[in-house]
Amino acid sequence: MRAVAVMLMLGCAAALALSGCAPGAQTVKLAPETEQIEERERAEPAGLALRVIDRRPREIFGYRDEAGGVTLAGEPALAEAVRDGLATAFERQGIAVTEWDGEAERRLEVEIYTFDYERSGGFLNRRASLKSAWMVSGMVDGERYSSEARVSTETRALFGPGEAKNEELVNRVLSRGVRQVATQKDLLRLLEGET
């Protein structure tokens, strides 16, 4: 009788453990890191009108469990987080970011085309990857400028990744994208008035 009770308890514990492993929807905080960008002071800060547009076909980043429709998303809105990160990165370099003006002599537009999270693997070996592509275009004192930023990262985890690890992944990609755009040498040369 005691053996049956122990077996029942073990069975219940296993069922609870398995049901507790099912992933839940997550909304991570978007906060690109800009501290690694070198600070610079300019006698006359260059101005730059900046706009970021999210061109992705969906608001979510991807699925933590595609079959179950369990999603991963972020807040604030992706375009807002990228614009805030870029504004901080440019300002660290002595470039004053202003509101968007399509007629401004110095203007930059960043379009986010992908920001895709994918989770794969078996029960005890999960992989999560994230990749993003941004197109950059603008005009600086009569000169056209264009570039692109492509960034990616991935991680492996025994059961996860959990919310903290997903937030880290998302912000790692955001931070790399912001750095690529804001420290691009050709753009900085134009903004500094060099030819």
Side-chain angles (χ1 to χ4, degrees):
M1 190 69 155
R2 182 182 285 250
V4 172
V6 169
M7 293 297 284
L8 281 172
M9 286 174 55
L10 287 174
C12 288
L16 283 171
L18 287 175
S19 67
C21 290
Q26 292 177 355
T27 301
V28 297
K29 182 179 180 195
L30 305 183
E33 172 65 54
T34 58
E35 265 85 48
Q36 292 181 355
I37 294 173
E38 182 181 349
E39 288 192 74
R40 299 171 68 182
E41 288 188 24
R42 300 174 193 268
E44 293 183 30
L48 181 66
L50 177 65
R51 174 166 71 172
V52 177
I53 302 172
D54 187 352
R55 300 279 190 207
R56 299 174 303 133
R58 61 186 188 187
E59 288 190 18
I60 63 168
F61 301 148
Y63 293 92
R64 300 192 65 234
D65 174 11
E66 192 163 5
V70 180
T71 60
L72 176 69
E75 62 180 24
L78 183 60
E80 180 184 343
V82 170
R83 189 193 185 284
D84 289 348
L86 285 170
T88 301
F90 281 125
E91 286 164 2
R92 285 179 67 85
Q93 300 175 94
I95 299 162
V97 172
T98 63
E99 290 302 315
W100 176 251
D101 175 358
E103 301 300 317
E105 287 293 313
R106 294 175 166 218
R107 60 188 184 269
L108 192 70
E109 185 173 80
V110 178
E111 298 172 274
I112 305 167
Y113 281 95
T114 61
F115 202 89
D116 298 329
Y117 174 88
E118 184 179 333
R119 183 169 149 168
S120 60
F123 178 66
L124 293 178
N125 186 13
R126 303 255 170 104
R127 182 177 69 87
S129 62
L130 187 61
K131 57 188 174 184
S132 188
W134 307 355
M135 298 303 295
V136 184
S137 60
M139 184 75 73
V140 180
D141 299 330
E143 294 238 7
R144 291 197 178 278
Y145 171 80
S146 65
S147 68
E148 64 179 49
R150 292 186 178 273
V151 288
S152 62
T153 191
E154 74 172 39
T155 189
R156 292 185 182 274
L158 191 60
F159 293 107
E163 186 168 357
K165 180 54 83 172
N166 280 330
E167 187 167 281
E168 179 188 320
L169 282 176
V170 167
N171 284 309
R172 186 184 306 158
V173 166
L174 279 179
S175 301
R176 288 176 181 173
V178 164
R179 269 196 308 275
Q180 275 191 36
V181 172
T183 62
Q184 217 285 331
K185 289 180 181 176
D186 290 342
L187 176 59
L188 293 176
R189 272 197 294 269
L190 286 174
L191 290 170
E192 289 165 358
E194 298 176 10
T195 55

